[in-house]
Amino acid sequence: MSLISKILRGTKDILPEKTEEWRRVKDILYKIFLDGGYQEIITPTIEGTGLFKRDKDDTSDIVQKEMYSFIDKGNRDISLKPEGTASVVRSVVETGLINNSLPLKLFYFTQCFRYEKPQQGRYREFYQFGAELFGSESFLAEVDIIYYIDKFFKKLELENIHLEINSIGCDECRPIYTNLLKEYIEKKDNFCVTCKTRCETNPLRSFDCKNPICKEVLNKAPSINNHICESCKNHDKDLKQALDGLNISYISNSKIVRGLDYYNKTVFEFTSREIGAQGAICGGGRYDKLVSEIGGKQTPAVGFGIGFERLIMIIEHQNKQAKLAEKVDIYIANIEKSTFETTIKIFKKLDDDGFKVLFDIMGRSLKSQFKYADKICAKKVLIIGEQEMEKGIFLLKNMETSIQEEFIINDFLEGKTII
Ligand code: HAM
């Protein structure tokens, strides 16, 4: 094989076997969020680089080191979006959508691009399903967002996924804490150079450091939980109380700081230890200043992004694909030339009645057709051969119980129900 160009590092093809599963998972997410009052938004893949690089003091690797940025033919500085949130905010401000009645609840499914070192669960092009809720300062906005994510994981029956929550305070209390942390880091010799440098601009970033020595020393660092103000404390307390009431379990983790700079108060991640080093399946939090930073009126907001590839990895790891498969209600087998006309009428009626019904198109042996029905998870198989035609009946076999029932064709075509 002499391909003129091979797939780029950190990207992947999603082949039909997978796209089917992707679509099913997406459909479940879409249904849950649509039912929850969220509407879909689609934003462009490219944006002006300034949308993401808003602040010269931004300390996040995502914005500082990992963006795919280039100058286009019109001499504009453009970036492939590294995340969905900033684009959604730009869009709702630019189109005025955010000026309509609040809350504004949006979701998206989008490609993101980050120039990271590829490894299992970490790609240079990946997909995020995310949602953003604008307009509420109340902890109930976090409750709303977290409730639907949790509902989705429960619907998929995924196990061992932990919700980890933290409060990183607000503009009033965070600087007091970051100064303390800075002093702590400066006093210790064993922090790595990156932590020491980051300490100047944003000491919280040290919590992202993977160096085991830094991690160890940070275990004894002052905890943000002891330094947030009353208002942030109450917000955190109310949120956790509401989660308790909804039976959503969580772990309080003062080390969650998130990789983007725009958060305040609540930050959270849904994590799993079953998919290797890249265990964060979903991340999000509150960002009350981003809308005004991007040019809109000050509007509080909460949101999250689920990494779709990591989600699929965990579904496959826990073998939950089968649960997702939409079962075929009825598979019509054994169609012969002499029975075709009647069978197709039965098919049409079942289809009109809203059943998921398929008919055999291969003309293989009845045994092979049953094997196929099993493979596509058909609940029932409808058999109508010459013998049945002569008696004016069809057979319906329940694939789970193997019970076979007879139905009179004319009764059925005239409206008698069979399920
Ligand atoms: P994030 O934590 O940077 O947050 O990304 C969200 C999720 O995207 C992660 O939890 C992870 O599952 C997935 N992800 C991140 N990088 C990669 C990668 N290189 N390859 C595969 N998956 C990846 C955000 O992007 C925020 N915009 C979330 C948010 C929305 N916050 C508020 N609203």
Side-chain angles (χ1 to χ4, degrees):
M1 186 174 59
S2 61
L3 269 180
I4 59 165
S5 176
K6 289 197 176 166
I7 194 158
L8 296 175
R9 211 169 158 235
T11 67
K12 68 219 161 294
D13 296 314
I14 303 148
L15 301 178
E17 182 193 317
K18 288 262 175 180
T19 52
E20 179 71 12
E21 196 184 332
W22 276 50
R23 189 186 51 72
R24 284 197 222 111
V25 178
K26 246 170 77 180
D27 284 353
I28 296 173
L29 274 164
Y30 270 53
K31 172 138 186 24
I32 287 179
F33 279 84
L34 285 168
D35 288 353
Y38 289 76
Q39 293 174 299
E40 186 175 13
I41 184 165
I42 302 172
T43 59
T45 305
I46 50 172
E47 297 275 3
T49 298
L51 177 66
F52 308 106
K53 267 198 179 149
R54 293 176 298 276
D55 181 353
K56 63 173 177 30
D57 292 332
D58 191 305
T59 55
S60 72
D61 282 353
I62 298 169
V63 171
Q64 289 309 321
K65 299 188 191 157
E66 297 168 1
M67 288 222 292
Y68 276 87
S69 302
F70 57 96
I71 303 296
D72 79 353
K73 289 181 179 156
N75 219 17
R76 296 172 206 95
D77 192 352
I78 304 253
S79 291
L80 303 182
K81 66 180 159 191
E83 56 124 14
T85 312
S87 296
V88 171
V89 173
R90 184 218 27 85
S91 171
V92 298
V93 171
E94 193 169 352
T95 59
L97 197 60
I98 203 159
N99 304 326
N100 298 347
S101 68
L102 293 173
L104 175 61
K105 297 167 79 173
L106 301 170
F107 72 83
Y108 49 87
F109 182 71
T110 189
Q111 269 142 301
C112 297
F113 302 84
R114 295 183 190 175
Y115 196 80
E116 292 188 85
K117 195 167 173 210
Q119 56 168 245
Q120 193 196 22
R122 193 203 275 155
Y123 301 95
R124 290 184 172 162
E125 180 189 17
F126 62 99
Y127 288 78
Q128 272 187 2
F129 178 94
E132 314 294 346
L133 192 167
F134 297 98
S136 172
E137 274 179 1
S138 163
F139 67 95
L140 290 170
E142 279 98 325
V143 173
D144 199 274
I145 282 276
I146 293 174
Y147 175 76
Y148 291 111
I149 310 171
D150 180 75
K151 180 171 174 176
F152 166 71
F153 288 137
K154 284 183 177 148
K155 168 100 190 156
L156 259 56
E157 297 179 17
L158 293 177
E159 289 150 15
N160 305 323
I161 292 188
H162 306 287
L163 165 60
E164 303 187 35
I165 307 192
N166 190 22
S167 172
I168 54 163
C170 60
D171 281 354
E172 302 293 313
C173 54
R174 198 180 323 129
I176 303 171
Y177 171 71
T178 47
N179 274 338
L180 275 174
L181 186 62
K182 191 169 174 227
E183 276 171 27
Y184 177 83
I185 295 173
E186 278 170 352
K187 271 194 219 144
K188 304 273 175 195
D189 294 331
N190 27 11
F191 275 104
C192 69
V193 185
T194 319
C195 280
K196 288 272 185 200
T197 326
R198 278 168 159 179
C199 183
E200 290 308 311
T201 41
N202 186 356
L204 281 179
R205 281 271 155 267
S206 331
F207 288 111
D208 282 340
C209 185
K210 301 283 177 282
N211 183 323
I213 300 172
C214 300
K215 277 186 169 198
E216 170 89 39
V217 191
L218 274 170
N219 278 337
K220 297 201 183 93
S223 162
I224 191 154
N225 300 154
N226 301 328
H227 296 90
I228 54 175
C229 62
E230 270 315 291
S231 153
C232 290
K233 241 182 225 164
N234 287 335
H235 191 94
D236 189 52
K237 199 173 106 212
D238 291 342
L239 167 60
K240 287 175 177 166
Q241 205 171 326
L243 294 179
D244 289 337
L246 288 165
N247 256 336
I248 299 176
S249 40
Y250 55 83
I251 301 163
S252 298
N253 180 353
S254 63
K255 298 200 176 72
I256 301 254
V257 288
R258 310 278 303 123
L260 289 146
D261 270 3
Y262 48 63
Y263 296 103
N264 63 292
K265 290 189 176 160
T266 314
V267 286
F268 62 85
E269 285 180 354
F270 283 82
T271 57
S272 160
R273 294 207 185 93
E274 294 177 11
I275 51 169
Q278 303 307 314
I281 300 169
C282 167
R286 173 169 284 281
Y287 55 96
D288 293 335
K289 283 173 46 184
L290 187 61
V291 177
S292 56
E293 259 178 35
I294 286 179
K297 278 195 295 218
Q298 201 281 326
T299 313
V302 182
F304 75 90
I306 292 182
F308 216 73
E309 288 79 359
R310 293 185 195 175
L311 175 65
I312 298 289
M313 273 167 73
I314 189 105
I315 291 172
E316 285 174 355
H317 180 79
Q318 296 189 8
N319 217 357
K320 293 286 158 64
Q321 304 95 310
K323 292 249 178 270
L324 292 171
E326 280 166 32
K327 289 200 168 173
V328 171
D329 292 313
I330 297 171
Y331 181 70
I332 303 182
N334 206 25
I335 303 175
E336 292 169 21
K337 242 192 166 148
S338 54
T339 62
F340 171 77
E341 227 173 291
T342 313
T343 315
I344 218 75
K345 275 190 202 151
I346 295 174
F347 163 76
K348 175 83 170 64
K349 175 146 189 339
L350 286 167
D351 195 51
D352 287 349
D353 289 350
F355 291 106
K356 185 166 178 191
V357 52
L358 302 180
F359 57 84
D360 173 65
I361 47 173
M362 300 299 289
R364 288 184 286 223
S365 70
L366 195 57
K367 196 172 158 202
S368 306
Q369 292 187 40
F370 266 98
K371 260 196 193 157
Y372 182 70
D374 223 25
K375 187 174 155 202
I376 61 171
C377 302
K379 291 184 207 160
K380 294 188 176 180
V381 175
L382 191 151
I383 307 146
I384 176 161
E386 272 178 12
Q387 274 180 9
E388 287 78 28
M389 270 296 281
E390 271 168 28
K391 293 193 211 161
I393 58 159
F394 60 78
L395 306 175
L396 201 59
K397 181 167 179 178
N398 185 316
M399 295 293 279
E400 216 174 282
T401 60
S402 290
I403 294 171
Q404 191 163 286
E405 289 177 274
E406 286 185 8
F407 290 88
I408 298 167
I409 295 173
N410 284 342
D411 284 358
F412 169 69
L413 291 176
E414 279 158 23
K416 188 171 177 238
T417 168
I418 60 163
I419 289 181

